[in-house]
């Protein structure tokens, strides 16, 4: 029986990923930015981050569709206008419950969908970065990309037939590893490099909410994206 971290023997390309993006109500989003930008700007900044993230995901050729799980009417209208499907956060029980709900909603329409969960605050995301990360994930039943700090998780992927089983929040890298998901890392020589998808923790006052100063992608590395702990070749 194959475990999550083992290479899949099915080499057919994934037909198209469905990406689930969770977004809490804008009045509550990005609370850690309150001291940097103030409560008036913070919801606008959170929405700008989500808009940039969703637009980049929709422009990724590996992505079939995007499901945004949110109960915020302003965010829902804005992101639906970009082309995202809006899934109401019916559980209302936090991040991981929202992601599981979004994945179920996707597979209710496409039972054999490949599903990925992605943070909503990646305004510097580029479609080719996401393409490379999804390509690296596509050889494992479940795989994830850690955040730039190596503590949390930016992207979690599940191929058809595999449950997403999200464990985001805090030191989620450790939990996803323990769950059997393969860790995607940069630097493997086998394929083009996947830049780590970097989140933007804060923005100084006076900057446009669309592109705060200090929010940039991690440097691209020579070589590519692979997975830590991949089985040795026979």
């Amino acid at each position: 029986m194959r475990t999550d971290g083992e290479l899949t023997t099915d080499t057919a390309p994934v037909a198209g990923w469905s990406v689930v993006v969770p977004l809490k109500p804008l009045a509550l989003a990005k609370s850690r930015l309150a001291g940097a930008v103030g409560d008036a700007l913070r919801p606008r900044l959170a929405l700008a981050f989500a808009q940039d993230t969703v637009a980049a995901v929709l422009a990724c050729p590996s992505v079939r569709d995007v499901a945004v799980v949110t109960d915020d009417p302003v965010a829902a209208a804005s992101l639906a206008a970009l082309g995202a499907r809006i899934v109401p956060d019916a559980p209302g029980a936090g991040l991981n419950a929202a992601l599981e709900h979004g994945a179920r909603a996707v597979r209710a329409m496409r039972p054999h969908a490949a599903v990925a969960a992605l943070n909503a605050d990646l305004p510097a995301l580029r479609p080719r970065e996401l393409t490379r990360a999804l390509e690296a994930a596509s050889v494992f039943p479940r795989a994830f990309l850690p955040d730039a700090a190596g503590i949390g998780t930016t992207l979690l992927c599940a191929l058809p037939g595999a449950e997403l089983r999200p464990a985001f929040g805090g030191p989620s890298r450790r939990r996803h590893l323990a769950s059997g998901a393969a860790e995607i890392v940069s630097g493997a020589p086998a394929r083009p490099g996947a830049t780590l998808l970097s989140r933007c923790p804060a923005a100084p006052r006076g900057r446009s909410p669309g592109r705060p100063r200090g929010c940039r992608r991690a440097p691209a590395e020579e070589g590519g994206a692979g997975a830590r702990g991949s089985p040795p070749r026979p």
Side-chain angles (χ1 to χ4, degrees):
M1 181 176 66
R2 188 180 67 208
T3 61
D4 284 347
E6 292 180 336
L7 287 165
T8 178
T9 55
D10 183 2
T11 57
V14 174
W17 290 84
S18 290
V19 178
V20 179
V21 177
L23 182 63
K24 65 177 65 174
L26 295 177
L28 304 176
K30 313 310 299 176
S31 58
R32 69 181 186 273
L33 297 181
V37 301
D39 286 338
L41 180 59
R42 179 172 49 82
R44 292 173 51 205
L45 191 62
L47 178 57
F49 283 179
Q51 289 170 326
D52 288 351
T53 301
V54 168
V57 176
L58 287 168
C60 175
S62 299
V63 172
R64 177 187 176 112
D65 51 25
V66 175
V68 176
V69 183
T70 187
D71 278 338
D72 190 284
V74 173
S78 175
L79 300 175
L82 293 177
R85 172 189 175 192
I86 305 302
V87 178
D89 186 5
L95 174 60
N96 291 308
L99 289 171
E100 290 176 341
H101 177 61
R104 286 194 298 269
V106 166
R107 286 180 170 167
M109 298 181 66
R110 285 203 305 135
H112 301 293
V115 178
L118 183 71
N119 290 318
D121 56 351
L122 299 168
L125 177 65
R126 297 293 180 264
R128 65 180 181 180
E129 296 172 350
L130 182 58
T131 295
R132 291 168 180 165
L134 293 174
E135 285 177 352
S138 67
V139 297
F140 295 94
R142 287 176 68 243
F144 74 97
L145 182 72
D147 63 13
I151 297 172
T153 301
T154 297
L155 177 71
L156 175 67
C157 303
L159 291 185
E163 296 298 323
L164 191 61
R165 294 163 56 196
F168 283 78
S172 60
R173 171 183 176 269
R174 182 175 61 196
R175 291 194 295 273
H176 285 134
L177 276 173
S179 75
E183 181 177 8
I184 303 168
V185 294
S186 58
R191 65 180 72 197
T195 303
L196 290 177
L197 312 183
S198 299
R199 303 176 73 182
C200 293
R205 295 181 185 273
R207 292 293 295 172
S208 164
R211 281 287 182 272
R213 177 179 292 131
C215 177
R216 61 183 183 273
R217 289 162 289 165
E221 301 204 16
E222 297 287 335
R228 183 169 294 156
S230 300
R233 293 182 179 180

